[in-house]
Amino acid sequence: MSSAPVQSAEQDSVEMSYAEAIRDALDIALGEDERVVLMGEDIGVYGGAFQVTGDLVNKYGEDRVMDTPISELGGAGVAVGAAATGLRPIFEFQFSDFAMLAMEQICNQAAKMRYMLGGEVSVPVVMRFPAGSGTGAAAQHSQSLEAWFGHVPGLKVVQPATPYDAKGLILAALDDPDPVMIFEHKILYKQKGLVPKGRYTVPLHKAEIRRAGADITIVASSIMVHRSLEAAELLFDKGVSAEVIDLKSIRPIDKQTIIESVVKTNKLICVYEGVKTLGIGAEISALVAESAAFDYLDAPILRLGAADCPVPYNPELEKASVPQVENIYQQALALCRREL
Amino acid sequence: MPTEVIMPKVDMDMSTGTLAQWHVKEGAIVGKGEPLFDIETDKATMEVESPASGTLQFVMAQGGDEIEIGKCIAWIFGEDEHLKEPEGALSSTTTEVVHTTVIPAADAPKDEAQIKEYRSTNTGDIRVTPLARRIAKDRGIPLETIKGSGPSGRITRVDVESARVERNEAQTTSNFELASHLERIGVDFVHEPADRMRQRIAKRLTESKSTVPHFYIEAECNMDNLLQFRSDLNSALANSTDSLNKDLSTLKISINDLVVRACAQSLTTVPEANVSWDNGNIIRYADANISIAVSLDSGGLVTPVIRGAQSKAINRIATEIRSLAVRANNGSLKNTELQGGSFSVSNLGMYDVKAFNAIINPPEAMILAVGGIRKQVVVTTDNQTKISSVMTVVLSCDHRVIDGVLGAQWLREFKRFIEQPALLAMDLS
């Protein structure tokens, strides 16, 4: 589909927050294509729990920016059904944690319908999940469940880390014929960045090297990209050149970018906010160990994920339960110093 | 559970074994204790018995393969054991390890713990990152020679790279570099791989000469009495065909037999010299176990051992040496006959050399280098001159356990036995 040329992006860019970039994408989609509808709890008059949809209801009306009843299963079911029958719905969960109520519609219906109906029907639904910890919202409103969805064939799962990617990935998701799950990070909503005006897309299957380096590869996604970049800066002061890869998509995973990087740096740390056990890092570790990069490993592969516990309410414990800049820095340094 | 067939350790410093041949075909039935395969060490070929009764399956090594000690090379399935079982079990650590019996190895693995110990000495258990392993392999650097700087000594890339630098500095003329150097300067030559025996000799003696502090003592023995003694012995034997059996009456005692006997007697009267250095401890041997350097018709040499030579009469020593020499040449020496020496004799007398210095055969502490017998004008005790037969011997000693005085005492004893050969007939043990 159409994708803005990178060179023209800068002169036509404006600074906006991650939430504003998402709203910009939704605005463009609603304006371009009348099949696009927004659905979700409190996304209309209230503007969304995190004020992402804002005043879009005023511009496009309640028929296209629809408040749904407090039933995630019902709302998701309507979105999936609408997608299967010709609309391009974008469904917002208030908190990604609540998506568990809608698993049947997402994993059993949306993900499988095209396959089970012999390709005659596709489900081009886009779902948005405000995720992650750091808001003091306790165990039921702070999870990072993206890996659950990454386990389901038929879904695409992305985690934008910047305003630019948030907008580009939403527009790419709308162009995709299959269900795309977008995990947005609540802490990132206010983060600002340059975002091109108008339509552009970011590929749904491609990771990006955010910082090039020679000594160690740090693969991260979402907010962990920023923490990894900060850690890389500290590592640089210690003479360690870290390469930071922004995964962007966890299904599919851009294996090639990771493998090529590990072949270059010989060391790998996976940083993710989901629970460490059976998480994204396990998948990346295994795919590297199975690949040609195995023979280039000069240290054990490390995973830095959340502690195996519900996210604590206490702010200090909450912080301690997920990887922070200091953890990434220390672990990477230890690995490069052959202490691990 | 099917039984694992492993490559056994039959020699002290063996890390790999060469599978010579299977006696049983894959899929054939073998009984416990029946010959299963042969292994070839640099000393001898040995038969390995089957550890269990059943069908030989999943043969993973063929004749000529060099295999790490302790590695599984096949499986034996009992009647009620299923073919599918070991596929998963091949890499499993829970597999029941059954000891493979070797004849005549004295130190084959006896239980699981021992096998683990053997395995831990293998390069397979060296901690090394995949990258470091690959670089070391590409550059032909043995992992055993690299010191790892990672946790628990894990070898990483920098370790391999620094090892390479050291190696380049230390060995500017390794064999292959020599070949390419000779090619460059236009010297004509043939480049051939050395056989296992040659490599073993090179390795052991390099180790000995560079780690064992050698010193040498030379003595000259008057041989007139010994030559007379030998001639008396041989004519007495030849004249006794009526009372002695044929083997004995046709036996010709050699000078070397008497030298070996004299060494055994000297080790008995100076037992302090019958020792080995064992990494901070001293081994004192109960017997005079004398290694005889035997050169092979096919090149190279082996050192079979006459155990307990102090209590063996001259004729027994002589027949044993004949038997060992014949069997050394046809390759049928048993492993036990090649181990356990406490002292070596190397005799180049037949090549008309006057004297030479020998390199100690570890772990032994002494080796006697025996020169040829020659006529010489000697000064007698009453200051007269006389023509006598003399023989020069040089004793090499390991100074870690043998001091100069002890070596000299031993050599004085040896000279006494050679010059008063009647004492060789005594049992001093």
Side-chain angles (χ1 to χ4, degrees):
Chain A
M1 291 292 178
S2 59
S3 157
V6 178
Q7 56 268 43
S8 72
E10 272 193 32
Q11 60 237 44
D12 294 338
S13 290
V14 288
E15 190 176 64
M16 60 175 84
S17 72
Y18 186 95
E20 286 163 350
I22 295 168
R23 191 182 311 135
D24 191 23
L26 299 176
D27 193 358
I28 289 170
L30 286 162
E32 277 181 352
D33 187 345
E34 60 181 15
R35 295 174 301 167
V36 173
V37 290
L38 309 190
M39 298 177 186
E41 293 164 18
D42 288 334
I43 66 165
V45 177
Y46 183 65
F50 295 94
Q51 295 299 307
V52 173
T53 44
D55 59 358
L56 286 174
V57 68
N58 298 336
K59 187 168 175 186
Y60 296 100
E62 290 185 354
D63 286 348
R64 299 195 61 201
V65 182
M66 288 185 268
D67 276 323
T68 57
I70 306 178
S71 166
E72 281 73 15
L73 178 61
V78 168
V80 170
T85 53
L87 294 186
R88 294 273 169 170
I90 301 173
F91 188 83
E92 176 186 304
F93 287 92
Q94 272 194 340
F95 285 83
S96 66
D97 313 68
F98 304 162
M100 284 183 264
L101 289 158
M103 289 308 253
E104 158 65 21
Q105 285 304 320
I106 300 169
C107 302
N108 238 356
Q109 304 303 330
K112 295 181 174 60
M113 210 174 285
R114 188 225 270 263
Y115 174 79
M116 295 189 72
L117 296 178
E120 287 186 18
V121 172
S122 67
V123 185
V125 69
V126 175
M127 292 187 171
R128 298 179 34 247
F129 305 79
S133 65
T135 59
Q140 297 165 320
H141 300 73
S142 304
Q143 298 173 82
S144 296
L145 299 173
E146 53 281 348
W148 289 31
F149 298 85
H151 193 66
V152 180
L155 299 182
K156 293 189 174 75
V157 184
V158 297
Q159 288 184 281
T162 62
Y164 179 97
D165 280 355
K167 178 177 171 183
L169 285 170
I170 285 182
L171 291 171
L174 275 169
D175 288 342
D176 196 90
D178 292 314
V180 180
M181 310 291 113
I182 300 180
F183 280 78
E184 300 161 3
H185 202 287
K186 286 169 279 191
I187 296 290
L188 293 179
Y189 278 137
K190 287 181 180 160
Q191 190 164 83
K192 297 201 167 180
L194 280 179
V195 176
K197 289 178 181 169
R199 165 179 262 279
Y200 67 93
T201 58
V202 169
L204 293 173
H205 61 279
K206 198 84 191 85
E208 183 177 339
I209 295 171
R210 291 282 181 197
R211 179 186 175 118
D215 297 330
I216 185 167
T217 297
I218 304 175
V219 175
S221 61
S222 190
I223 196 167
M224 293 302 161
V225 173
H226 302 283
R227 293 187 186 160
S228 299
L229 286 168
E230 273 187 63
E233 198 58 42
L234 297 174
L235 287 165
F236 188 72
D237 292 340
K238 293 282 178 188
V240 173
S241 158
E243 178 147 307
V244 178
I245 294 178
D246 177 356
L247 207 49
K248 296 191 189 183
S249 167
I250 64 161
R251 182 174 195 98
I253 289 178
D254 180 0
K255 297 180 185 180
Q256 198 186 342
T257 299
I258 298 168
I259 290 167
E260 282 172 3
S261 176
V262 173
V263 165
K264 181 173 72 171
T265 66
N266 314 126
K267 294 177 206 73
L268 172 64
I269 294 189
C270 316
V271 190
Y272 51 111
E273 195 177 352
V275 167
K276 179 177 174 182
T277 305
L278 291 164
I280 297 168
E283 181 58 33
I284 292 169
S285 305
L287 77 85
V288 166
E290 287 170 350
S291 78
F294 174 79
D295 278 326
Y296 290 83
L297 285 171
D298 201 28
I301 300 171
L302 289 193
R303 290 172 297 157
L304 284 181
D308 273 304
C309 66
V311 178
Y313 171 64
N314 175 296
E316 287 307 314
L317 289 178
E318 181 184 26
K319 200 176 168 200
S321 74
V322 298
Q324 303 294 335
V325 174
E326 180 67 13
N327 306 124
I328 303 168
Y329 164 72
Q330 292 293 355
Q331 293 290 297
L333 194 60
L335 209 58
C336 289
R337 286 179 170 168
R338 303 194 296 284
E339 292 164 2
L340 294 173
Chain B
M1 177 64 80
T3 305
E4 209 180 15
V5 178
I6 61 158
M7 173 56 68
K9 179 160 179 155
V10 295
D11 190 6
M12 277 287 286
D13 43 4
M14 164 179 183
S15 62
T16 61
T18 303
L19 177 70
Q21 59 163 348
W22 286 99
H23 289 299
V24 179
K25 283 205 173 84
E26 184 160 5
I29 290 172
V30 63
K32 183 172 180 171
E34 286 176 14
L36 187 58
F37 62 94
D38 285 347
I39 50 175
E40 208 173 271
T41 68
D42 19 48
K43 291 173 181 168
T45 299
M46 267 159 290
E47 202 169 81
V48 178
E49 293 179 353
S50 175
S53 294
T55 310
L56 184 69
Q57 294 285 10
F58 296 104
V59 172
M60 291 171 274
Q62 306 305 326
D65 287 356
E66 195 170 314
I67 299 144
E68 281 175 20
I69 301 305
K71 200 171 174 187
C72 173
I73 55 173
W75 292 82
I76 291 169
F77 290 76
E79 264 180 37
D80 52 342
E81 289 164 345
H82 294 289
L83 287 181
K84 280 180 182 166
E85 267 183 65
E87 284 181 298
L90 286 179
S91 58
S92 151
T93 51
T94 56
T95 308
E96 190 185 357
V97 177
V98 178
H99 155 52
T100 309
T101 325
V102 180
I103 290 177
D107 53 354
K110 287 184 183 59
D111 54 33
E112 214 166 331
Q114 232 174 325
I115 289 166
K116 270 188 193 148
E117 190 194 310
Y118 288 135
R119 285 178 173 169
S120 73
T121 60
N122 284 338
T123 60
D125 284 351
I126 291 179
R127 281 176 168 239
V128 52
T129 67
L131 179 66
R133 185 186 294 279
R134 193 173 57 84
I135 296 173
K137 193 181 165 201
D138 289 350
R139 295 177 181 170
I141 307 172
L143 292 172
E144 309 89 89
T145 64
I146 304 171
K147 194 176 176 314
S149 64
S152 308
R154 187 196 291 131
I155 300 168
T156 63
R157 177 171 64 179
V158 286
D159 304 321
V160 180
E161 281 168 354
S162 57
R164 186 175 62 110
V165 172
E166 280 167 28
R167 194 180 143 90
N168 283 348
E169 283 166 1
Q171 303 190 339
T172 46
T173 53
S174 83
N175 290 340
F176 286 75
E177 285 168 24
L178 176 60
S180 54
H181 174 67
L182 292 177
E183 264 165 20
R184 258 198 318 277
I185 60 172
V187 175
D188 217 5
F189 64 96
V190 177
H191 201 210
E192 63 177 22
D195 61 22
R196 289 174 65 82
M197 178 180 291
R198 178 54 46 204
Q199 294 194 9
R200 184 183 166 88
I201 291 170
K203 181 168 171 274
R204 281 180 60 96
L205 295 184
T206 303
E207 223 169 80
S208 171
K209 201 71 208 288
S210 53
T211 64
V212 177
H214 286 59
F215 72 88
Y216 309 92
I217 318 177
E218 183 178 316
E220 200 160 77
C221 306
N222 188 308
M223 299 298 279
D224 292 343
N225 292 344
L226 190 103
L227 289 172
Q228 187 58 50
F229 180 67
R230 171 181 174 244
S231 146
D232 289 348
L233 277 177
N234 283 338
S235 38
L237 287 171
N239 292 337
S240 309
T241 45
D242 50 340
S243 63
L244 300 177
N245 68 40
K246 189 166 169 286
D247 285 349
L248 201 48
S249 63
T250 56
L251 184 67
K252 289 263 185 290
I253 305 294
S254 71
I255 301 290
N256 193 53
D257 300 333
L258 297 171
V259 166
V260 170
R261 178 65 181 157
C263 291
Q265 297 290 63
S266 311
L267 288 170
T268 308
T269 56
V270 189
E272 299 82 2
N274 196 18
V275 291
S276 279
W277 179 249
D278 184 26
N279 194 25
N281 294 308
I282 295 172
I283 305 281
R284 297 195 182 279
Y285 294 97
D287 294 310
N289 300 329
I290 302 199
S291 305
I292 320 274
V294 176
S295 68
L296 303 181
D297 300 340
S298 54
L301 78 136
V302 290
T303 51
V305 180
I306 299 175
R307 295 214 185 176
Q310 81 282 2
S311 49
K312 287 176 178 168
I314 294 165
N315 57 301
R316 278 197 61 197
I317 288 176
T319 45
E320 220 173 285
I321 291 177
R322 301 298 175 278
S323 160
L324 290 172
V326 167
R327 288 185 299 116
N329 270 303
N330 67 25
S332 64
L333 283 179
K334 294 173 185 165
N335 209 36
T336 43
E337 294 177 305
L338 290 160
Q339 295 182 342
S342 65
F343 181 97
S344 279
V345 176
S346 178
N347 191 338
L348 290 181
M350 58 294 254
Y351 296 101
D352 206 20
V353 301
K354 185 185 173 201
F356 67 102
N357 298 346
I359 299 174
I360 288 167
N361 178 25
E364 297 168 10
M366 299 203 293
I367 182 168
L368 189 71
V370 182
I373 296 169
R374 61 196 190 283
K375 299 249 183 190
Q376 192 172 301
V377 177
V378 297
V379 179
T380 60
T381 44
D382 50 353
N383 282 338
Q384 301 297 304
T385 57
K386 165 186 175 196
I387 293 176
S388 275
S389 294
V390 297
M391 177 179 81
T392 304
V393 292
V394 179
L395 181 68
S396 311
C397 303
D398 176 353
H399 212 324
R400 293 174 303 180
V401 269
I402 309 279
D403 292 337
V405 169
L406 182 56
Q409 280 169 348
W410 186 91
L411 200 53
R412 188 179 61 192
E413 283 296 292
F414 174 79
K415 187 172 154 81
R416 190 157 68 93
F417 286 115
I418 292 292
E419 293 181 351
Q420 299 174 61
L423 290 172
L424 297 178
M426 305 294 143
D427 186 345
L428 305 174
S429 58

